Amino acid sequence: MFLERWKRRNAQLAYEWDVDNFEHNEPDRPQFYGLKVKKDPVTQEPNWFYPFKRQILKFTVSVSTLLFMMMIVLVSVVGVIVYRLVTTLEYCPGKSAIQCLITSTLLSAVLNAVSILLLGKLYEILAFKLTEWENHRTQTLYDDALVTKMFAFQFVNSYASCFYIAFFRGRFDVFGYTDECVGDSGTCMSQLSFQVLILMIIRPFPRIAKDLIIPLIRKLWRSRPNWCCRINACPCDCCNKINRISTEEAKDVFEANKRLLSNFLERERLKHPLGDFTLNEYTEKVIQYGFLMLFAASFPLAPLMAILLNLIDIRIDAKRMLWSNRRPIAYIRQDIGKWFGILNFVNTVGVITNGFLIGFTSTWASSFDLSSKLWIVLGFEHIVFVLKFLIAYLIPDVPRDVQLSIRREKYQVAKILEDAKYSEAINYGELVPKHKKKRKHRSSNYDTFVQLDESVGKPKEDLKDTAIPEENVFKETEPAPQEKSDFNRSSSEESVKEQWYVVKRDISTPKVAR
């Protein structure tokens, strides 16, 4: 239902903003460079292209780097598992249950979350460099490649420990130790719920510290001379320097600072840029969505916790975008790109994961044999998939009003083109306003139509009140020829008789220097 509703909303926004065909005519990225000139198959014009073999080689290097980082994630998960086993078997005997819980379960979950954050930050830097190195032609291709790399790594980095607890813990030996689950009749549902809880709480904390706490500390640090001098706690000589400033200098400094702060553009320029806000927010929300979908059967309170965390996150992001950081620049996109396919993938994997959680990990299915558990999994996922595809088929991807608007627009464009095809030739003379052409009666004595002011030597701008001698008036009695275009030569309109007032210029009057 969530994805179907988003598809309808996406179609509506794309039509309203006229970006439903943006990717077909998307311009090249400024960073793109070509090595060969070929004829474009669409425009038949020479264009720069990047060799396909070189791009395949770069893609291979990027995939190899991604697989290597995934192996590092698995190694870190195994290290956390070994730590928990050693702590449980070597430290917990003779200790209380609370001490054993803190040192084994709680601390191992925190270590796993810290390793997830550190490895995720390291791979984020590598993903940006690799995607830029791949030399994608358009911004959409660049974003899709970057999103695919980021999610593929974050999927393994965020969910590897949860998948281990759900399906592998207690079923295999690790370095001679059996990592069994305690409680819940030998199942690991409670440990899985605790792991999902820790990851959902700890993951937002670094970003909250970076977006809220660190800017607050910077603000307090910049204003430290004001409050530390009041309590005489400044370790430096800043208070004495402030006291030695004269009144006039302090006034000038105050006025300069006031003018600087009153300039909105200058304040915006001095703010820290927001960075790639969309990529970070989408990655965080999709990973959170994955915790809800993949492990909903083990932790039913995860949606409620996600709502509470998102309410806090909305206010933090609003403060960042409006006050703390520089306003971001909006870019044109046709849709959310690869993120929709990733959400669909998470939904599909979530159905399978919850089916196996119900059939193999839950206490309810522990009394069934292997064959019965498989039938439970198959029956569950088939029922859910049938409902999923049925809902997707019944709900149209494009709203009805948008479909009608698109049909109406296509009909109007086709009708205009059809009418223009069979209509008469356009009279381009009607596209400009008509002006009556005045026939100039030129001679050696009548070479200008402006009466000069003999006293000043400059032309008068207004000749309404000028007395013109009668001998200098030329009356035209014959009709002036009217030019006709090719489209109105058959017109029988008579020319309008007009009178012209021509002022004779005195030859003895000197010309005005211009």
Side-chain angles (χ1 to χ4, degrees):
M1 294 296 295
F2 170 69
L3 293 184
E4 292 302 316
R5 183 177 181 275
W6 167 247
K7 283 193 291 187
R8 294 171 61 85
R9 180 63 174 166
N10 182 85
Q12 181 181 359
L13 293 176
Y15 178 76
E16 289 180 358
W17 296 341
D18 197 17
V19 295
D20 44 358
N21 293 319
F22 171 73
E23 294 181 1
H24 297 286
N25 303 315
E26 186 176 3
D28 296 347
R29 295 175 63 239
Q31 296 84 358
F32 172 76
Y33 61 92
L35 299 180
K36 292 183 178 180
V37 178
K38 295 182 179 179
K39 184 178 293 186
D40 191 278
V42 178
T43 61
Q44 300 298 321
E45 295 180 358
N47 197 0
W48 285 98
F49 284 88
Y50 193 73
F52 182 72
K53 294 182 179 179
R54 285 176 175 265
Q55 208 159 22
I56 288 295
L57 180 61
K58 292 184 177 182
F59 289 161
T60 304
V61 175
S62 299
V63 173
S64 302
T65 306
L66 174 62
L67 295 177
F68 176 74
M69 292 299 298
M70 289 180 178
M71 295 301 297
I72 294 179
V73 171
L74 296 179
V75 170
S76 67
V77 172
V78 173
V80 173
I81 294 171
V82 172
Y83 164 79
R84 186 176 64 248
L85 288 175
V86 172
T87 305
T88 303
L89 298 177
E90 301 294 336
Y91 178 79
C92 286
K95 301 294 182 180
S96 63
I98 297 178
Q99 291 178 344
C100 182
L101 177 65
I102 293 175
T103 55
S104 62
T105 304
L106 180 61
L107 191 56
S108 62
V110 172
L111 289 176
N112 183 39
V114 171
S115 67
I116 288 173
L117 295 175
L118 293 178
L119 291 175
K121 192 63 179 178
L122 175 61
Y123 183 74
E124 181 179 349
I125 299 173
L126 290 176
F128 272 100
K129 293 184 177 297
L130 288 173
T131 309
E132 190 69 33
W133 179 59
E134 290 171 0
N135 190 27
H136 294 278
R137 191 177 194 94
T138 62
Q139 188 65 34
T140 300
L141 295 176
Y142 175 87
D143 293 338
D144 291 345
L146 181 60
V147 166
T148 303
K149 293 185 185 66
M150 292 293 296
F151 178 78
F153 175 78
Q154 291 291 346
F155 185 86
V156 178
N157 191 27
S158 302
Y159 308 136
S161 59
C162 296
F163 275 106
Y164 168 77
I165 295 174
F167 304 117
F168 300 101
R169 185 176 178 181
R171 295 178 174 86
F172 302 95
D173 294 338
V174 181
F175 298 106
Y177 298 99
T178 302
D179 190 12
E180 297 180 352
C181 298
V182 181
D184 294 339
S185 302
T187 61
C188 298
M189 292 293 283
S190 59
Q191 284 80 359
L192 178 61
S193 303
F194 188 75
Q195 183 72 15
V196 173
L197 174 65
I198 293 295
L199 291 178
M200 290 188 65
I201 292 177
I202 291 182
R203 282 187 65 89
F205 268 97
R207 199 176 58 82
I208 293 176
K210 183 184 71 173
D211 301 337
L212 186 64
I213 299 176
I214 294 178
L216 181 61
I217 294 175
R218 289 176 180 173
K219 182 178 180 181
L220 294 176
W221 178 258
R222 286 194 299 265
S223 61
R224 70 188 186 282
N226 297 328
W227 56 265
C228 71
C229 291
R230 297 174 186 173
I231 59 176
N232 296 324
C234 284
C236 57
D237 196 28
C238 60
C239 295
N240 297 328
K241 293 179 180 179
I242 293 175
N243 295 330
R244 285 197 295 267
I245 297 177
S246 62
T247 305
E248 295 297 332
E249 292 178 354
K251 185 177 180 180
D252 295 340
V253 172
F254 176 76
E255 291 296 333
N257 292 334
K258 185 178 180 180
R259 287 194 301 269
L260 180 63
L261 293 177
S262 62
N263 191 342
F264 174 77
L265 295 179
E266 185 67 18
R267 291 201 309 270
E268 288 293 322
R269 187 186 66 84
L270 294 176
K271 289 181 180 179
H272 188 71
L274 196 61
D276 199 342
F277 180 81
T278 305
L279 178 64
N280 295 329
E281 288 296 320
Y282 269 74
T283 304
E284 180 187 355
K285 296 304 181 290
V286 170
I287 294 299
Q288 184 188 76
Y289 182 77
F291 282 118
L292 307 183
M293 295 301 300
L294 298 178
F295 309 105
S298 65
F299 190 40
L301 290 178
L304 177 61
M305 180 172 295
I307 291 176
L308 297 177
L309 292 174
N310 288 336
L311 289 176
I312 299 174
D313 188 48
I314 286 173
R315 304 312 306 168
I316 295 176
D317 291 339
K319 184 175 179 59
R320 289 175 60 199
M321 298 182 70
L322 295 177
W323 305 105
S324 302
N325 295 93
R326 193 182 306 166
R327 293 290 182 91
I329 299 175
Y331 295 97
I332 300 176
R333 292 294 179 271
Q334 183 174 335
D335 46 29
I336 60 175
K338 286 290 184 181
W339 288 115
F340 184 82
I342 289 174
L343 290 173
N344 200 5
F345 170 78
V346 170
N347 282 349
T348 304
V349 177
V351 173
I352 301 173
T353 301
N354 285 281
F356 276 96
L357 283 176
I358 296 172
F360 286 86
T361 309
S362 64
T363 307
W364 171 77
S366 59
S367 58
F368 296 96
D369 56 356
L370 181 60
S371 178
S372 299
K373 291 180 179 180
L374 289 176
W375 278 110
I376 291 173
V377 173
L378 291 175
F380 172 80
E381 66 180 24
H382 276 70
I383 292 174
V384 176
F385 278 137
V386 168
L387 292 176
K388 179 179 182 298
F389 291 127
L390 183 62
I391 291 174
Y393 177 77
L394 294 178
I395 300 178
D397 297 342
V398 182
R400 183 174 179 81
D401 55 344
V402 177
Q403 291 180 357
L404 291 177
S405 300
I406 294 175
R407 287 180 55 192
R408 187 182 300 109
E409 182 179 335
K410 291 182 178 179
Y411 170 76
Q412 291 175 353
V413 172
K415 189 174 185 302
I416 291 173
L417 294 176
E418 188 70 18
D419 293 343
K421 181 178 179 181
Y422 296 103
S423 61
E424 297 180 357
I426 301 175
N427 185 1
Y428 293 97
E430 298 178 356
L431 300 179
V432 295
K434 294 182 178 180
H435 297 282
K436 296 179 180 179
K437 292 188 177 182
K438 298 180 180 180
R439 178 183 177 187
K440 295 180 181 180
H441 189 80
R442 290 268 183 180
S443 67
S444 59
N445 295 329
Y446 299 97
D447 57 344
T448 182
F449 294 92
V450 179
Q451 183 182 12
L452 299 177
D453 188 355
E454 298 180 357
S455 61
V456 182
K458 295 183 180 180
K460 285 188 177 182
E461 297 180 357
D462 192 1
L463 301 179
K464 293 182 179 179
D465 301 331
T466 304
I468 304 176
E470 187 176 357
E471 61 271 12
N472 291 339
V473 176
F474 174 77
K475 295 183 179 181
E476 184 178 13
T477 57
E478 296 181 357
Q482 183 180 3
E483 296 182 1
K484 297 182 180 181
S485 61
D486 296 336
F487 299 96
N488 56 2
R489 290 186 182 275
S490 60
S491 177
S492 60
E493 298 179 357
E494 297 181 356
S495 302
V496 182
K497 298 183 180 181
E498 299 178 350
Q499 291 182 349
W500 297 75
Y501 292 93
V502 182
V503 180
K504 181 179 179 182
R505 172 182 160 185
D506 190 0
I507 302 177
S508 62
T509 305
K511 293 184 179 180
V512 180
R514 297 185 182 275

